[in-house]
C-alpha cells in the first residue's frame, strides 16, 4: 500500500490543472479605429507576437474591419473574434449581423454579454442565451462576460450576481458545448476607469466562478478558461495572471496599442 500520494502538497496539483487550460489574451477594440487604423494595428500585433507561444491571442475588431483583418491574420496563430452577434439566425432584422455570417468570415470567437451591451442595449439573459446558442451552432466559441457593478460590489452581492448571470445562460447550453465557452469576468467598476480589481479579488471570484461551473458541469469546469477584464495593462497583468484561476485577460483600452497588448500577452 502506498499513501505517499495523499501527502503531496497542493501547489503541484494546481499547476497540473492549470496546464490543462489555454491562456488567452483577447483585445476588445470596442467602437474604435477606422479600417485603415485597425489593419495597421493588427499588422503590428502580428509582427510583434511572432515569438509568443504560451498564450492564445485573439483580436475583436468592429464588424466593418473583419474581412480586412481576417486577411491580415491568415497563416498566423492570432484568432478573430466579433464583439457581438445577432440573437436571431437570419431574416428581417435590420442592422444585425448573424453568427452564420461571422463564421463565414473566419470568426472563431464572439464576445457575448459584455456589460456595455447589457447596460446600453438592454441585453437580457434571455437574449444572451439565444446569442450564445447561435454562436455555438455555427462553430463560434462565445467569450461570455459576467461581472457586477460598483453598488453590487459595495453591497457584497458580487458572488450572487455572477452566479445568476452564469446560471441563466451557461447552465442552459448543451453539456457537450460547454467546453467551447470562455468566461470573462469583468467588474463594471473596473472597465475603462483605471481601477483594477486586485489580483486577490480576481482570484477569489474566478475560483468562485469555477466552483459554480463545476456544480453543473463537473470536471469539465477545470478546463474552462476564465479571463479577467477591467483596466488590465502591462503594469498589472503579471500579478493578475499569476493567480491560479486567472487564465488570461479581455483587454479594452490597452489592446489599441500593439506594444501594450503584446506586453500584456508576455506577462504569462
Ligand atoms: P478596459 O481594459 O478599457 O478597462 O476595458 C475592459 C473591457 O471592457 C474589455 O472587454
Amino acid at each position: 500500500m502506498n499513501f505517499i500520494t495523499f501527502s503531496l502538497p497542493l501547489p503541484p496539483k494546481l499547476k497540473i490543472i492549470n496546464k490543462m487550460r489555454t491562456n488567452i489574451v483577447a483585445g476588445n477594440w470596442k467602437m474604435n479605429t477606422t479600417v485603415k487604423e485597425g489593419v495597421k494595428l493588427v499588422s503590428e500585433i502580428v509582427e510583434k507576437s511572432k515569438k509568443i507561444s504560451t498564450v492564445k491571442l485573439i483580436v475583436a475588431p468592429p464588424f466593418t474591419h473583419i474581412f480586412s483583418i481576417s486577411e491580415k491574420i491568415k497563416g498566423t496563430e492570432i484568432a478573430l473574434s466579433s464583439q457581438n452577434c445577432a440573437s436571431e439566425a437570419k431574416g428581417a432584422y435590420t442592422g444585425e449581423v448573424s453568427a452564420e455570417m461571422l463564421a463565414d468570415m473566419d470568426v472563431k470567437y464572439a464576445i457575448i454579454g459584455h456589460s456595455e451591451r447589457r447596460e446600453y442595449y438592454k441585453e437580457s439573459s434571455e437574449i444572451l442565451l439565444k446569442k450564445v446558442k447561435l454562436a455555438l451552432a455555427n462553430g463560434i466559441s462565445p467569450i461570455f462576460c459576467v461581472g457586477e457593478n460598483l453598488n453590487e460590489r459595495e453591497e457584497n452581492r458580487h458572488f450572487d450576481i455572477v452566479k445568476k448571470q452564469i446560471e441563466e445562460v451557461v447552465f442552459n447550453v448543451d453539456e457537450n458545448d460547454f467546453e467551447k465557452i470562455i468566461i470573462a469576468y469583468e467588474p463594471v467598476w473596473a472597465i475603462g476607469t483605471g481601477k483594477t480589481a486586485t489580483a486577490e479579488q480576481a482570484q477569489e471570484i474566478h475560483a468562485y466562478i469555477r466552483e459554480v461551473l463545476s456544480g453543473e458541469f463537473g470536471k469539465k469546469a477545470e478546463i474552462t478558461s476564465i479571463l479577467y477584464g477591467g483596466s488590465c495593462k502591462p503594469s498589472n497583468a503579471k500579478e493578475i495572471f499569476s493567480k491560479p484561476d486567472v487564465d488570461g485577460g479581455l483587454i479594452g483600452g490597452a489592446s489599441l496599442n500593439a506594444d501594450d497588448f503584446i506586453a500584456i500577452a508576455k506577462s504569462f
Side-chain angles (χ1 to χ4, degrees), residues 26-35 37-43 45 58-62 65 69 80 83 111 116 250-257 261:
N28 176 8
W29 296 4
K30 308 192 180 183
M31 198 170 71
N32 292 297
T33 73
T34 61
V35 173
E37 289 163 350
V39 166
K40 182 169 175 279
L41 174 58
V42 86
S43 305
I45 292 172
I58 300 174
V59 289
H65 303 28
I69 290 191
L80 193 48
Q83 298 174 16
I111 298 171
E116 287 149 18
L250 181 55
I251 319 299
S255 73
L256 296 169
N257 176 295
F261 187 59

PDB file of all heavy atoms in Angstrom, residues 26-35 37-43 45 58-62 65 69 80 83 111 116 250-257 261:
ATOM      1  N   ALA A  26      -7.183  38.480 -25.100  1.00  0.00           N
ATOM      2  CA  ALA A  26      -8.071  38.922 -26.183  1.00  0.00           C
ATOM      3  C   ALA A  26      -8.217  40.439 -26.122  1.00  0.00           C
ATOM      4  O   ALA A  26      -8.392  41.009 -25.044  1.00  0.00           O
ATOM      5  CB  ALA A  26      -9.439  38.253 -26.037  1.00  0.00           C
ATOM      6  N   GLY A  27      -8.136  41.063 -27.282  1.00  0.00           N
ATOM      7  CA  GLY A  27      -8.273  42.522 -27.351  1.00  0.00           C
ATOM      8  C   GLY A  27      -9.651  42.910 -27.851  1.00  0.00           C
ATOM      9  O   GLY A  27     -10.022  42.579 -28.975  1.00  0.00           O
ATOM     10  N   ASN A  28     -10.421  43.577 -26.992  1.00  0.00           N
ATOM     11  CA  ASN A  28     -11.735  44.080 -27.390  1.00  0.00           C
ATOM     12  C   ASN A  28     -11.562  45.540 -27.805  1.00  0.00           C
ATOM     13  O   ASN A  28     -11.417  46.414 -26.962  1.00  0.00           O
ATOM     14  CB  ASN A  28     -12.703  43.961 -26.196  1.00  0.00           C
ATOM     15  CG  ASN A  28     -14.064  44.546 -26.505  1.00  0.00           C
ATOM     16  OD1 ASN A  28     -14.355  44.920 -27.648  1.00  0.00           O
ATOM     17  ND2 ASN A  28     -14.912  44.628 -25.485  1.00  0.00           N
ATOM     18  N   TRP A  29     -11.573  45.770 -29.113  1.00  0.00           N
ATOM     19  CA  TRP A  29     -11.307  47.125 -29.613  1.00  0.00           C
ATOM     20  C   TRP A  29     -12.506  48.055 -29.418  1.00  0.00           C
ATOM     21  O   TRP A  29     -12.389  49.259 -29.609  1.00  0.00           O
ATOM     22  CB  TRP A  29     -10.936  47.075 -31.098  1.00  0.00           C
ATOM     23  CG  TRP A  29      -9.664  46.332 -31.402  1.00  0.00           C
ATOM     24  CD1 TRP A  29      -8.872  45.648 -30.515  1.00  0.00           C
ATOM     25  CD2 TRP A  29      -9.031  46.211 -32.679  1.00  0.00           C
ATOM     26  NE1 TRP A  29      -7.800  45.105 -31.169  1.00  0.00           N
ATOM     27  CE2 TRP A  29      -7.861  45.436 -32.499  1.00  0.00           C
ATOM     28  CE3 TRP A  29      -9.338  46.669 -33.954  1.00  0.00           C
ATOM     29  CZ2 TRP A  29      -7.001  45.110 -33.549  1.00  0.00           C
ATOM     30  CZ3 TRP A  29      -8.477  46.352 -35.005  1.00  0.00           C
ATOM     31  CH2 TRP A  29      -7.318  45.590 -34.800  1.00  0.00           C
ATOM     32  N   LYS A  30     -13.653  47.493 -29.089  1.00  0.00           N
ATOM     33  CA  LYS A  30     -14.882  48.287 -28.931  1.00  0.00           C
ATOM     34  C   LYS A  30     -15.117  49.131 -30.193  1.00  0.00           C
ATOM     35  O   LYS A  30     -14.769  48.686 -31.284  1.00  0.00           O
ATOM     36  CB  LYS A  30     -14.832  49.116 -27.644  1.00  0.00           C
ATOM     37  CG  LYS A  30     -14.496  48.225 -26.424  1.00  0.00           C
ATOM     38  CD  LYS A  30     -14.703  48.887 -25.103  1.00  0.00           C
ATOM     39  CE  LYS A  30     -14.334  47.920 -23.982  1.00  0.00           C
ATOM     40  NZ  LYS A  30     -14.568  48.433 -22.659  1.00  0.00           N
ATOM     41  N   MET A  31     -15.713  50.327 -30.078  1.00  0.00           N
ATOM     42  CA  MET A  31     -16.006  51.108 -31.285  1.00  0.00           C
ATOM     43  C   MET A  31     -14.856  52.090 -31.549  1.00  0.00           C
ATOM     44  O   MET A  31     -15.015  53.313 -31.453  1.00  0.00           O
ATOM     45  CB  MET A  31     -17.339  51.837 -31.143  1.00  0.00           C
ATOM     46  CG  MET A  31     -17.905  52.289 -32.490  1.00  0.00           C
ATOM     47  SD  MET A  31     -19.595  52.898 -32.356  1.00  0.00           S
ATOM     48  CE  MET A  31     -19.386  54.442 -31.489  1.00  0.00           C
ATOM     49  N   ASN A  32     -13.692  51.517 -31.820  1.00  0.00           N
ATOM     50  CA  ASN A  32     -12.504  52.327 -32.053  1.00  0.00           C
ATOM     51  C   ASN A  32     -11.790  51.882 -33.323  1.00  0.00           C
ATOM     52  O   ASN A  32     -11.862  50.709 -33.680  1.00  0.00           O
ATOM     53  CB  ASN A  32     -11.520  52.185 -30.871  1.00  0.00           C
ATOM     54  CG  ASN A  32     -12.071  52.820 -29.606  1.00  0.00           C
ATOM     55  OD1 ASN A  32     -12.286  54.030 -29.552  1.00  0.00           O
ATOM     56  ND2 ASN A  32     -12.336  52.000 -28.599  1.00  0.00           N
ATOM     57  N   THR A  33     -11.105  52.779 -33.930  1.00  0.00           N
ATOM     58  CA  THR A  33     -10.285  52.643 -35.144  1.00  0.00           C
ATOM     59  C   THR A  33     -11.116  52.618 -36.439  1.00  0.00           C
ATOM     60  O   THR A  33     -12.222  52.097 -36.480  1.00  0.00           O
ATOM     61  CB  THR A  33      -9.352  51.378 -35.157  1.00  0.00           C
ATOM     62  OG1 THR A  33     -10.134  50.206 -35.368  1.00  0.00           O
ATOM     63  CG2 THR A  33      -8.514  51.259 -33.912  1.00  0.00           C
ATOM     64  N   THR A  34     -10.523  53.201 -37.477  1.00  0.00           N
ATOM     65  CA  THR A  34     -11.047  53.031 -38.837  1.00  0.00           C
ATOM     66  C   THR A  34     -10.476  51.711 -39.347  1.00  0.00           C
ATOM     67  O   THR A  34      -9.588  51.126 -38.702  1.00  0.00           O
ATOM     68  CB  THR A  34     -10.546  54.166 -39.754  1.00  0.00           C
ATOM     69  OG1 THR A  34      -9.109  54.088 -39.773  1.00  0.00           O
ATOM     70  CG2 THR A  34     -10.982  55.529 -39.258  1.00  0.00           C
ATOM     71  N   VAL A  35     -10.936  51.258 -40.507  1.00  0.00           N
ATOM     72  CA  VAL A  35     -10.395  50.010 -41.052  1.00  0.00           C
ATOM     73  C   VAL A  35      -8.876  50.149 -41.246  1.00  0.00           C
ATOM     74  O   VAL A  35      -8.101  49.262 -40.884  1.00  0.00           O
ATOM     75  CB  VAL A  35     -11.089  49.627 -42.379  1.00  0.00           C
ATOM     76  CG1 VAL A  35     -10.404  48.424 -43.015  1.00  0.00           C
ATOM     77  CG2 VAL A  35     -12.566  49.319 -42.140  1.00  0.00           C
ATOM     78  N   GLU A  37      -6.735  52.094 -39.722  1.00  0.00           N
ATOM     79  CA  GLU A  37      -6.025  52.059 -38.432  1.00  0.00           C
ATOM     80  C   GLU A  37      -6.011  50.648 -37.843  1.00  0.00           C
ATOM     81  O   GLU A  37      -5.019  50.202 -37.260  1.00  0.00           O
ATOM     82  CB  GLU A  37      -6.702  53.016 -37.431  1.00  0.00           C
ATOM     83  CG  GLU A  37      -6.504  54.487 -37.755  1.00  0.00           C
ATOM     84  CD  GLU A  37      -7.497  55.411 -37.028  1.00  0.00           C
ATOM     85  OE1 GLU A  37      -8.473  54.915 -36.414  1.00  0.00           O
ATOM     86  OE2 GLU A  37      -7.309  56.638 -37.096  1.00  0.00           O
ATOM     87  N   GLY A  38      -7.137  49.956 -38.011  1.00  0.00           N
ATOM     88  CA  GLY A  38      -7.244  48.592 -37.473  1.00  0.00           C
ATOM     89  C   GLY A  38      -6.284  47.636 -38.163  1.00  0.00           C
ATOM     90  O   GLY A  38      -5.658  46.783 -37.519  1.00  0.00           O
ATOM     91  N   VAL A  39      -6.154  47.791 -39.477  1.00  0.00           N
ATOM     92  CA  VAL A  39      -5.244  46.920 -40.238  1.00  0.00           C
ATOM     93  C   VAL A  39      -3.801  47.195 -39.804  1.00  0.00           C
ATOM     94  O   VAL A  39      -2.993  46.279 -39.624  1.00  0.00           O
ATOM     95  CB  VAL A  39      -5.451  47.122 -41.761  1.00  0.00           C
ATOM     96  CG1 VAL A  39      -4.308  46.505 -42.553  1.00  0.00           C
ATOM     97  CG2 VAL A  39      -6.790  46.530 -42.185  1.00  0.00           C
ATOM     98  N   LYS A  40      -3.494  48.472 -39.588  1.00  0.00           N
ATOM     99  CA  LYS A  40      -2.141  48.834 -39.131  1.00  0.00           C
ATOM    100  C   LYS A  40      -1.878  48.216 -37.743  1.00  0.00           C
ATOM    101  O   LYS A  40      -0.826  47.620 -37.502  1.00  0.00           O
ATOM    102  CB  LYS A  40      -2.027  50.368 -39.073  1.00  0.00           C
ATOM    103  CG  LYS A  40      -0.674  50.879 -38.675  1.00  0.00           C
ATOM    104  CD  LYS A  40      -0.574  52.389 -38.905  1.00  0.00           C
ATOM    105  CE  LYS A  40       0.728  52.964 -38.399  1.00  0.00           C
ATOM    106  NZ  LYS A  40       0.748  53.221 -36.967  1.00  0.00           N
ATOM    107  N   LEU A  41      -2.871  48.339 -36.871  1.00  0.00           N
ATOM    108  CA  LEU A  41      -2.725  47.797 -35.513  1.00  0.00           C
ATOM    109  C   LEU A  41      -2.508  46.285 -35.540  1.00  0.00           C
ATOM    110  O   LEU A  41      -1.598  45.755 -34.899  1.00  0.00           O
ATOM    111  CB  LEU A  41      -3.976  48.162 -34.691  1.00  0.00           C
ATOM    112  CG  LEU A  41      -4.117  47.575 -33.289  1.00  0.00           C
ATOM    113  CD1 LEU A  41      -2.930  47.951 -32.398  1.00  0.00           C
ATOM    114  CD2 LEU A  41      -5.427  48.075 -32.631  1.00  0.00           C
ATOM    115  N   VAL A  42      -3.322  45.590 -36.327  1.00  0.00           N
ATOM    116  CA  VAL A  42      -3.194  44.129 -36.333  1.00  0.00           C
ATOM    117  C   VAL A  42      -1.879  43.704 -37.008  1.00  0.00           C
ATOM    118  O   VAL A  42      -1.278  42.704 -36.615  1.00  0.00           O
ATOM    119  CB  VAL A  42      -4.439  43.440 -36.941  1.00  0.00           C
ATOM    120  CG1 VAL A  42      -4.362  43.327 -38.449  1.00  0.00           C
ATOM    121  CG2 VAL A  42      -4.639  42.063 -36.318  1.00  0.00           C
ATOM    122  N   SER A  43      -1.420  44.481 -37.991  1.00  0.00           N
ATOM    123  CA  SER A  43      -0.135  44.150 -38.633  1.00  0.00           C
ATOM    124  C   SER A  43       0.988  44.241 -37.608  1.00  0.00           C
ATOM    125  O   SER A  43       1.880  43.389 -37.568  1.00  0.00           O
ATOM    126  CB  SER A  43       0.167  45.110 -39.789  1.00  0.00           C
ATOM    127  OG  SER A  43      -0.904  45.100 -40.703  1.00  0.00           O
ATOM    128  N   ILE A  45       0.620  43.867 -34.384  1.00  0.00           N
ATOM    129  CA  ILE A  45       0.436  42.755 -33.431  1.00  0.00           C
ATOM    130  C   ILE A  45       1.008  41.462 -34.027  1.00  0.00           C
ATOM    131  O   ILE A  45       1.702  40.704 -33.354  1.00  0.00           O
ATOM    132  CB  ILE A  45      -1.065  42.606 -33.047  1.00  0.00           C
ATOM    133  CG1 ILE A  45      -1.509  43.820 -32.225  1.00  0.00           C
ATOM    134  CG2 ILE A  45      -1.316  41.309 -32.275  1.00  0.00           C
ATOM    135  CD1 ILE A  45      -3.010  43.902 -31.947  1.00  0.00           C
ATOM    136  N   ILE A  58      -6.200  36.787 -29.355  1.00  0.00           N
ATOM    137  CA  ILE A  58      -7.457  36.994 -30.085  1.00  0.00           C
ATOM    138  C   ILE A  58      -7.656  38.501 -30.264  1.00  0.00           C
ATOM    139  O   ILE A  58      -7.399  39.270 -29.327  1.00  0.00           O
ATOM    140  CB  ILE A  58      -8.653  36.409 -29.285  1.00  0.00           C
ATOM    141  CG1 ILE A  58      -8.466  34.893 -29.065  1.00  0.00           C
ATOM    142  CG2 ILE A  58      -9.979  36.686 -29.985  1.00  0.00           C
ATOM    143  CD1 ILE A  58      -9.526  34.255 -28.156  1.00  0.00           C
ATOM    144  N   VAL A  59      -8.106  38.913 -31.443  1.00  0.00           N
ATOM    145  CA  VAL A  59      -8.480  40.329 -31.607  1.00  0.00           C
ATOM    146  C   VAL A  59      -9.965  40.409 -31.965  1.00  0.00           C
ATOM    147  O   VAL A  59     -10.474  39.611 -32.751  1.00  0.00           O
ATOM    148  CB  VAL A  59      -7.635  41.067 -32.678  1.00  0.00           C
ATOM    149  CG1 VAL A  59      -6.211  41.271 -32.199  1.00  0.00           C
ATOM    150  CG2 VAL A  59      -7.655  40.354 -34.025  1.00  0.00           C
ATOM    151  N   ALA A  60     -10.630  41.374 -31.349  1.00  0.00           N
ATOM    152  CA  ALA A  60     -12.063  41.574 -31.590  1.00  0.00           C
ATOM    153  C   ALA A  60     -12.296  42.989 -32.127  1.00  0.00           C
ATOM    154  O   ALA A  60     -12.574  43.924 -31.366  1.00  0.00           O
ATOM    155  CB  ALA A  60     -12.855  41.346 -30.301  1.00  0.00           C
ATOM    156  N   PRO A  61     -12.135  43.166 -33.426  1.00  0.00           N
ATOM    157  CA  PRO A  61     -12.341  44.492 -34.025  1.00  0.00           C
ATOM    158  C   PRO A  61     -13.834  44.741 -34.295  1.00  0.00           C
ATOM    159  O   PRO A  61     -14.641  43.818 -34.172  1.00  0.00           O
ATOM    160  CB  PRO A  61     -11.572  44.381 -35.348  1.00  0.00           C
ATOM    161  CG  PRO A  61     -11.676  42.938 -35.716  1.00  0.00           C
ATOM    162  CD  PRO A  61     -11.745  42.159 -34.430  1.00  0.00           C
ATOM    163  N   PRO A  62     -14.193  45.951 -34.713  1.00  0.00           N
ATOM    164  CA  PRO A  62     -15.587  46.192 -35.115  1.00  0.00           C
ATOM    165  C   PRO A  62     -15.943  45.347 -36.354  1.00  0.00           C
ATOM    166  O   PRO A  62     -15.061  44.921 -37.103  1.00  0.00           O
ATOM    167  CB  PRO A  62     -15.592  47.677 -35.478  1.00  0.00           C
ATOM    168  CG  PRO A  62     -14.405  48.262 -34.770  1.00  0.00           C
ATOM    169  CD  PRO A  62     -13.385  47.182 -34.736  1.00  0.00           C
ATOM    170  N   HIS A  65     -14.390  45.809 -39.886  1.00  0.00           N
ATOM    171  CA  HIS A  65     -12.976  45.501 -40.102  1.00  0.00           C
ATOM    172  C   HIS A  65     -12.722  44.022 -40.357  1.00  0.00           C
ATOM    173  O   HIS A  65     -11.605  43.628 -40.669  1.00  0.00           O
ATOM    174  CB  HIS A  65     -12.161  45.882 -38.865  1.00  0.00           C
ATOM    175  CG  HIS A  65     -12.257  47.309 -38.422  1.00  0.00           C
ATOM    176  ND1 HIS A  65     -13.353  48.118 -38.640  1.00  0.00           N
ATOM    177  CD2 HIS A  65     -11.372  48.074 -37.743  1.00  0.00           C
ATOM    178  CE1 HIS A  65     -13.129  49.310 -38.117  1.00  0.00           C
ATOM    179  NE2 HIS A  65     -11.940  49.308 -37.573  1.00  0.00           N
ATOM    180  N   ILE A  69      -9.191  42.315 -41.652  1.00  0.00           N
ATOM    181  CA  ILE A  69      -8.319  41.779 -40.596  1.00  0.00           C
ATOM    182  C   ILE A  69      -8.143  40.273 -40.752  1.00  0.00           C
ATOM    183  O   ILE A  69      -7.060  39.733 -40.520  1.00  0.00           O
ATOM    184  CB  ILE A  69      -8.837  42.228 -39.227  1.00  0.00           C
ATOM    185  CG1 ILE A  69      -8.563  43.733 -39.164  1.00  0.00           C
ATOM    186  CG2 ILE A  69      -8.167  41.458 -38.085  1.00  0.00           C
ATOM    187  CD1 ILE A  69      -8.723  44.415 -37.909  1.00  0.00           C
ATOM    188  N   LEU A  80      -9.641  35.532 -34.685  1.00  0.00           N
ATOM    189  CA  LEU A  80     -10.553  36.660 -34.829  1.00  0.00           C
ATOM    190  C   LEU A  80     -11.831  36.433 -34.006  1.00  0.00           C
ATOM    191  O   LEU A  80     -12.401  35.337 -34.013  1.00  0.00           O
ATOM    192  CB  LEU A  80     -10.886  36.763 -36.320  1.00  0.00           C
ATOM    193  CG  LEU A  80     -11.571  37.988 -36.892  1.00  0.00           C
ATOM    194  CD1 LEU A  80     -10.919  39.287 -36.436  1.00  0.00           C
ATOM    195  CD2 LEU A  80     -11.558  37.896 -38.407  1.00  0.00           C
ATOM    196  N   GLN A  83     -17.463  41.281 -31.569  1.00  0.00           N
ATOM    197  CA  GLN A  83     -17.797  41.866 -30.258  1.00  0.00           C
ATOM    198  C   GLN A  83     -19.238  41.574 -29.864  1.00  0.00           C
ATOM    199  O   GLN A  83     -19.712  41.978 -28.805  1.00  0.00           O
ATOM    200  CB  GLN A  83     -17.597  43.375 -30.304  1.00  0.00           C
ATOM    201  CG  GLN A  83     -16.174  43.792 -30.593  1.00  0.00           C
ATOM    202  CD  GLN A  83     -16.039  45.292 -30.783  1.00  0.00           C
ATOM    203  OE1 GLN A  83     -16.925  46.066 -30.426  1.00  0.00           O
ATOM    204  NE2 GLN A  83     -14.928  45.712 -31.342  1.00  0.00           N
ATOM    205  N   ILE A 111     -17.608  37.817 -28.479  1.00  0.00           N
ATOM    206  CA  ILE A 111     -17.837  38.355 -27.127  1.00  0.00           C
ATOM    207  C   ILE A 111     -19.348  38.496 -26.968  1.00  0.00           C
ATOM    208  O   ILE A 111     -20.001  39.133 -27.806  1.00  0.00           O
ATOM    209  CB  ILE A 111     -17.136  39.718 -26.953  1.00  0.00           C
ATOM    210  CG1 ILE A 111     -15.612  39.575 -27.111  1.00  0.00           C
ATOM    211  CG2 ILE A 111     -17.479  40.333 -25.599  1.00  0.00           C
ATOM    212  CD1 ILE A 111     -14.855  40.913 -27.174  1.00  0.00           C
ATOM    213  N   GLU A 116     -21.308  46.528 -21.466  1.00  0.00           N
ATOM    214  CA  GLU A 116     -21.782  47.668 -22.268  1.00  0.00           C
ATOM    215  C   GLU A 116     -23.015  47.275 -23.082  1.00  0.00           C
ATOM    216  O   GLU A 116     -23.912  48.092 -23.302  1.00  0.00           O
ATOM    217  CB  GLU A 116     -20.635  48.176 -23.162  1.00  0.00           C
ATOM    218  CG  GLU A 116     -19.591  48.912 -22.329  1.00  0.00           C
ATOM    219  CD  GLU A 116     -18.164  48.824 -22.855  1.00  0.00           C
ATOM    220  OE1 GLU A 116     -17.972  48.491 -24.041  1.00  0.00           O
ATOM    221  OE2 GLU A 116     -17.237  49.094 -22.063  1.00  0.00           O
ATOM    222  N   LEU A 250      -9.258  39.906 -20.934  1.00  0.00           N
ATOM    223  CA  LEU A 250     -10.015  40.552 -22.017  1.00  0.00           C
ATOM    224  C   LEU A 250      -9.682  42.039 -21.875  1.00  0.00           C
ATOM    225  O   LEU A 250     -10.057  42.679 -20.879  1.00  0.00           O
ATOM    226  CB  LEU A 250     -11.515  40.273 -21.871  1.00  0.00           C
ATOM    227  CG  LEU A 250     -12.431  40.862 -22.953  1.00  0.00           C
ATOM    228  CD1 LEU A 250     -12.000  40.446 -24.355  1.00  0.00           C
ATOM    229  CD2 LEU A 250     -13.879  40.414 -22.722  1.00  0.00           C
ATOM    230  N   ILE A 251      -8.958  42.539 -22.862  1.00  0.00           N
ATOM    231  CA  ILE A 251      -8.328  43.846 -22.721  1.00  0.00           C
ATOM    232  C   ILE A 251      -9.050  44.880 -23.587  1.00  0.00           C
ATOM    233  O   ILE A 251      -9.236  44.648 -24.789  1.00  0.00           O
ATOM    234  CB  ILE A 251      -6.843  43.782 -23.190  1.00  0.00           C
ATOM    235  CG1 ILE A 251      -6.150  42.475 -22.727  1.00  0.00           C
ATOM    236  CG2 ILE A 251      -6.061  45.012 -22.748  1.00  0.00           C
ATOM    237  CD1 ILE A 251      -6.088  42.268 -21.239  1.00  0.00           C
ATOM    238  N   GLY A 252      -9.422  46.006 -22.998  1.00  0.00           N
ATOM    239  CA  GLY A 252     -10.063  47.074 -23.764  1.00  0.00           C
ATOM    240  C   GLY A 252      -9.027  48.081 -24.237  1.00  0.00           C
ATOM    241  O   GLY A 252      -8.283  47.839 -25.187  1.00  0.00           O
ATOM    242  N   GLY A 253      -8.943  49.212 -23.534  1.00  0.00           N
ATOM    243  CA  GLY A 253      -8.079  50.321 -23.940  1.00  0.00           C
ATOM    244  C   GLY A 253      -6.659  49.914 -24.325  1.00  0.00           C
ATOM    245  O   GLY A 253      -6.146  50.341 -25.371  1.00  0.00           O
ATOM    246  N   ALA A 254      -6.031  49.080 -23.515  1.00  0.00           N
ATOM    247  CA  ALA A 254      -4.623  48.728 -23.771  1.00  0.00           C
ATOM    248  C   ALA A 254      -4.450  47.846 -25.004  1.00  0.00           C
ATOM    249  O   ALA A 254      -3.334  47.685 -25.490  1.00  0.00           O
ATOM    250  CB  ALA A 254      -4.020  48.046 -22.540  1.00  0.00           C
ATOM    251  N   SER A 255      -5.553  47.310 -25.534  1.00  0.00           N
ATOM    252  CA  SER A 255      -5.408  46.459 -26.735  1.00  0.00           C
ATOM    253  C   SER A 255      -5.316  47.304 -28.001  1.00  0.00           C
ATOM    254  O   SER A 255      -5.081  46.780 -29.086  1.00  0.00           O
ATOM    255  CB  SER A 255      -6.575  45.470 -26.842  1.00  0.00           C
ATOM    256  OG  SER A 255      -7.774  46.126 -27.219  1.00  0.00           O
ATOM    257  N   LEU A 256      -5.513  48.621 -27.861  1.00  0.00           N
ATOM    258  CA  LEU A 256      -5.438  49.505 -29.030  1.00  0.00           C
ATOM    259  C   LEU A 256      -4.009  49.961 -29.305  1.00  0.00           C
ATOM    260  O   LEU A 256      -3.757  50.705 -30.249  1.00  0.00           O
ATOM    261  CB  LEU A 256      -6.349  50.725 -28.817  1.00  0.00           C
ATOM    262  CG  LEU A 256      -7.846  50.388 -28.712  1.00  0.00           C
ATOM    263  CD1 LEU A 256      -8.634  51.603 -28.245  1.00  0.00           C
ATOM    264  CD2 LEU A 256      -8.370  49.889 -30.057  1.00  0.00           C
ATOM    265  N   ASN A 257      -3.104  49.517 -28.457  1.00  0.00           N
ATOM    266  CA  ASN A 257      -1.687  49.834 -28.648  1.00  0.00           C
ATOM    267  C   ASN A 257      -0.951  48.494 -28.725  1.00  0.00           C
ATOM    268  O   ASN A 257      -0.981  47.710 -27.771  1.00  0.00           O
ATOM    269  CB  ASN A 257      -1.210  50.670 -27.455  1.00  0.00           C
ATOM    270  CG  ASN A 257       0.272  50.972 -27.523  1.00  0.00           C
ATOM    271  OD1 ASN A 257       1.112  50.068 -27.457  1.00  0.00           O
ATOM    272  ND2 ASN A 257       0.594  52.239 -27.680  1.00  0.00           N
ATOM    273  N   PHE A 261      -0.468  45.658 -25.803  1.00  0.00           N
ATOM    274  CA  PHE A 261      -1.174  44.385 -25.943  1.00  0.00           C
ATOM    275  C   PHE A 261      -0.182  43.217 -25.876  1.00  0.00           C
ATOM    276  O   PHE A 261      -0.405  42.230 -25.166  1.00  0.00           O
ATOM    277  CB  PHE A 261      -1.941  44.383 -27.270  1.00  0.00           C
ATOM    278  CG  PHE A 261      -2.842  43.194 -27.461  1.00  0.00           C
ATOM    279  CD1 PHE A 261      -3.872  42.915 -26.574  1.00  0.00           C
ATOM    280  CD2 PHE A 261      -2.678  42.345 -28.559  1.00  0.00           C
ATOM    281  CE1 PHE A 261      -4.715  41.819 -26.754  1.00  0.00           C
ATOM    282  CE2 PHE A 261      -3.507  41.247 -28.753  1.00  0.00           C
ATOM    283  CZ  PHE A 261      -4.526  40.993 -27.864  1.00  0.00           C
TER     284      PHE A 261
END
